Amino acid sequence: MRWREVVLGQWKRTRLLRAAARHDDGDADPSRVLEGLLELAAVDPQDLQVLLAAAEMFTTRAQLRSGSDREADRAAAAELFHRCVALAPPGHGMRGEVFYGLGRALFWVTADTSSPEAAAESVHAFREAVAATRHGSGGPWLYRFFLALQLGAYFERSGDSDAVVEAVQVALKGYTAAPRRSEERGRFRTLLVTSLRLLADATAHVEPLHEAVGIAREAVTEARGAERAQAQFDLARALKALHAATRDTRLLDEAVEMCDQCMQATSRRHPELTARGALFASVIRMLAEDRRDPDLMRRAVELMRMTFEAQCMADEDGGGTLIDLIQALASLHSMTGEQHVLRDAVDTARLAVTDASGNGRTEAQFNLAQLLLYGSSEDVRGEDADGADAKALQEALGLLREVAAATPRDHQERGDRLWHLGIALRDLADRGDLADRGDGTAQRRLARDAFAEAASSAGPVHIRVRSLHNLGAMEAALGDTRAALSAYESAVTLLPRLTPDWLTYSGRLTEVRSIEGLPAAAAAAAVELGRPERAVELLELSRGLLQGRTLEDRDLRELRHRAPQLHAEFTRLRADLNAGAPDGNWEELLGRIRGLAGLEGFLLPPSVHLLRQYAGQGPVVIVNAGEQRGDALILRADGERPVQVVPLAGLTRADVNGPLGLLAGALRAATDATSLRARRQAQRDLDGVLRWLWDQVTAPVLDALGVTGPYGTRIPPRIWWCPVGVMAYFPLHAAGYHDGGGVTVMDRAVSSYTTTVRALAHRNRPATGGTPGALVVAVPHAEGAPSLPGASAEAAALAELLPHAVVLSGAQATYENVVRALPSHTIAHLSCHGVTYWESPAAGTLVLHDHLTRPLTVEQISAMELPSAELAYLSACSTSFTHLNTADEAVHITGAFQLAGYRNVVGTLWPVNDATSADIARTTYEKLTQGGGAAPRTDLSAHALHLAVRSLRDRYPASPSLWAGHIHVGR
């Protein structure tokens, strides 16, 4: 009888273990098998195989359950695996399997938590599983796969960068060891791409993302069949991440193509269908935002809706897709202004808040709060508020308080969320329709505290910069100018980190657009405290950042050419600093670099004593319209008093808005109005703006300079105007009463413009000497553009005055021919259309013959290096026009030519008349060449243009739109 019980027991054990093995990958309920295994385990608690099978059964059953039942099964599995560990000491044949099972159980237990401790325990289990395999055998590849996967999860929960470094190493080892075109290799590749993205996040370096893209591209090339679709999906994810770091739109174009091909190869029943659809929609949204393309954004919205519906039908979590849809709708509204789109975004956000839980709910609340805050802003609702707007603002404030309370202090998004909380409090203080606001002091103090904490929180540099900017504004509003200046100075010191090496030009432009208003505010605070020299330094540090980075890049290329080891040390150390590492030997390294001849000023901050040398040929007048005060800061080459403040009482930002609107309306009417009466009124309005400029800005400046009357037969004095922010739109050089009394700037001085004082360093570069070669480009007709008959006449006149000039006209004036010719000519004259884009100033274009296929853009011109260039004459419309938040960066065609290396650039502030522009150009070159009898004196460009414009003014004093828009920029 005893023998029979033993045999039956062994038979039952074998049957149950076989049944457990069959259930392992099945979808039938394993409860009966599990009950039998638990009975055996109770009889023999030392039976490792039975305990292990029971633990696996709990894991299997958990996948078929939900809610508390699922959590209970996962916890039971983990408990049994822990018991198995005690029965599988080092050297035991099943030790690897036991720890692998424990690691997976803990992996599922921790999947819905943010606890780093639980993830760390899972990592330890997978490490033990890998270590338990025999040396050289490689062991089951899934052990290594899950180890790398959970290392990434642990990093995301703990921020431990060592974990993600190990994840990359483990994934890379698995990827390189796996056979080509195997499931193993594909899964490791996907994991490696993800781990490299996490490594980039951990180190703030872009190199891991480039590596991920390279691996994914290689996989697409070698993959076949269904595996190719997965490789395309991996590549699209890597491209999306690299674009987020570099802002290179070409990466998004490639990502969209990869997603499109991937989706075409993905069946409707594929388990990754919704994940691939969500990525496709996401990259289209990002591309639409980069291009500001509403039609493309509508396509993204449609794809997101379809993906979300599919996720709901498959009982999948669609929270991420819903958040993407909210952001896409918000972007679409910003492009179109369609109110129903904004309402749709708000309704979708409310749905996301209702359906989400945990971290997902916090993110959904934040998105809803952003929409409510945006919808209640003056830009969206207009100047008239109503009760609904006030209610939306109050709701946003309540949501943001909940979000801030739920966001851990070390969370990467905490700074951004606190910044939005500060904005809500600030807007609440500023709103006059809320009965409980009092004088707003209490709300401003709370806003100040929110901005201060946001500035000190972990997160992107641009969040810290704008938080400090707003902190300064709140301190100023509360009456503490010293604290305001301190906050502004802290913001300015962070600005170099806004434009790291790996960002594209467009990416850098996106970052600097976020600081609009900071330079003016910082300068005004310094002047208020009686520190005008510091005001000038702050303006130089916070303006012309793109130009400074481009020049710095050129210094770096020079350093790399002359001292490769120093260059490598510099780039490595700067990357570490951008990632938050200690300063180390930074100053000592800069000292060694500045010891090299020609690099003495490498990365030196612009002190007033350095800047004043650029005012040796004439004063630089910085004109600033701040929120609370307006000033002109006159920089002279004076060692004792380099900066003189001229208070401009009528030049606050609010004072400027009226004349700016009048100017814009007058310029539109002067060119577009059909009635003669409207055009005449436009000229009168423009004349009124010039008179206002004289009264409020230029007359006080000229009085301070002692320039009090027409220069007559004397050599005219020179003035360099350096307008800050919104003042860049005004023709300061043409200010005055042009009715014959000489009460104008152009009757008293020769004016030039400069974006920053440092930009005038070009004028101190030695002249090239010799006879300059001239390139004349004329495009009288271009496909899709109005004809410019004056361009041909202009080119013919210049060919007589510049007999050795190379003329590219009509079909010869192509992108390739012009770009090839520019470096070999010191003078470039371009007579063509200029096209500007308000939302995308870097895409501003000179319309050459083949502009539809090969546009010559601001970004391309800025990247040129033409060290021998002397004069660029841009006889085109609006070459100096740009978006308000890039006015301090001179992101326009005129600024691009100056950045390319031209010491003198002639440009235009607004659309100009074809015939009179040709007249001004001909007169200017007559002055430069003494009527065609001498080589052109490019150093007299400002004087020559001044005389040409003044001559036209004398003929048409009542039509300032014809002549006041032509400006000289440079030396």
Coordinates of all heavy atoms in Angstrom, one line a residue, residues 761-769 867-870 903 971:
A761 N 32.5 94.3 -34.3 CA 33.9 93.8 -34.4 C 34.3 93.6 -35.8 O 35.5 93.7 -36.1 CB 34.0 92.5 -33.6
H762 N 33.3 93.4 -36.7 CA 33.6 93.2 -38.1 C 34.3 94.5 -38.7 O 35.1 94.4 -39.5 CB 32.3 92.9 -38.9 CG 31.8 91.5 -38.8 ND1 32.6 90.5 -39.3 CD2 30.7 91.0 -38.3 CE1 31.9 89.3 -39.0 NE2 30.8 89.7 -38.4
R763 N 33.8 95.6 -38.2 CA 34.4 96.8 -38.8 C 35.8 97.1 -38.4 O 36.5 97.9 -39.1 CB 33.5 98.0 -38.3 CG 33.8 98.6 -37.0 CD 32.8 99.7 -36.7 NE 33.1 100.3 -35.4 CZ 32.3 101.2 -34.8 NH1 31.2 101.5 -35.3 NH2 32.7 101.8 -33.7
N764 N 36.3 96.4 -37.4 CA 37.7 96.6 -37.0 C 38.6 95.6 -37.7 O 39.8 95.7 -37.6 CB 37.9 96.4 -35.5 CG 37.3 97.6 -34.7 OD1 37.0 98.6 -35.3 ND2 37.1 97.4 -33.4
R765 N 38.0 94.7 -38.5 CA 38.8 93.8 -39.3 C 39.5 94.6 -40.4 O 38.9 95.4 -41.1 CB 37.9 92.7 -39.9 CG 38.6 91.8 -40.8 CD 37.7 90.6 -41.1 NE 36.4 91.0 -41.6 CZ 36.1 91.3 -42.8 NH1 37.0 91.3 -43.7 NH2 34.8 91.6 -43.1
P766 N 40.8 94.3 -40.7 CA 41.5 95.1 -41.7 C 40.8 94.9 -43.1 O 40.3 93.8 -43.4 CB 42.9 94.4 -41.7 CG 43.0 93.8 -40.4 CD 41.7 93.4 -40.0
A767 N 40.8 95.9 -43.8 CA 40.2 95.8 -45.2 C 41.1 94.9 -46.0 O 42.3 94.8 -45.8 CB 40.1 97.2 -45.8
T768 N 40.4 94.3 -47.0 CA 41.1 93.3 -47.9 C 42.1 94.0 -48.8 O 43.1 93.3 -49.2 CB 40.1 92.5 -48.7 OG1 39.3 93.4 -49.4 CG2 39.2 91.7 -47.8
G769 N 41.9 95.2 -49.1 CA 42.8 95.9 -50.0 C 42.6 95.5 -51.5 O 41.9 94.5 -51.8
P867 N 35.1 85.5 -45.2 CA 36.0 86.5 -44.4 C 36.4 87.7 -45.2 O 36.8 88.7 -44.6 CB 37.1 85.6 -44.0 CG 37.2 84.5 -45.0 CD 35.8 84.2 -45.3
S868 N 36.4 87.6 -46.6 CA 36.9 88.8 -47.4 C 35.7 89.6 -47.8 O 35.9 90.6 -48.6 CB 37.7 88.3 -48.6 OG 38.8 87.6 -48.2
A869 N 34.5 89.3 -47.4 CA 33.3 90.0 -47.9 C 33.3 91.5 -47.3 O 33.6 91.7 -46.1 CB 32.1 89.3 -47.5
E870 N 32.9 92.4 -48.2 CA 32.9 93.8 -47.8 C 31.5 94.4 -47.8 O 31.1 95.0 -46.8 CB 33.8 94.6 -48.7 CG 35.3 94.3 -48.6 CD 35.9 94.8 -47.2 OE1 35.3 95.8 -46.7 OE2 36.8 94.2 -46.7
R903 N 31.0 93.2 -43.9 CA 31.2 94.3 -43.0 C 30.2 95.4 -43.2 O 29.8 96.1 -42.2 CB 32.6 94.9 -43.2 CG 33.7 93.9 -42.9 CD 35.0 94.7 -42.5 NE 35.5 95.5 -43.6 CZ 36.6 96.2 -43.5 NH1 37.2 96.3 -42.4 NH2 37.0 96.9 -44.6
R971 N 29.7 98.5 -40.3 CA 30.8 99.4 -39.8 C 30.6 100.9 -40.1 O 29.9 101.2 -41.1 CB 32.1 98.9 -40.3 CG 32.4 99.1 -41.7 CD 33.7 98.5 -42.1 NE 34.0 98.7 -43.5 CZ 34.8 99.7 -44.0 NH1 35.2 100.6 -43.2 NH2 35.0 99.8 -45.3

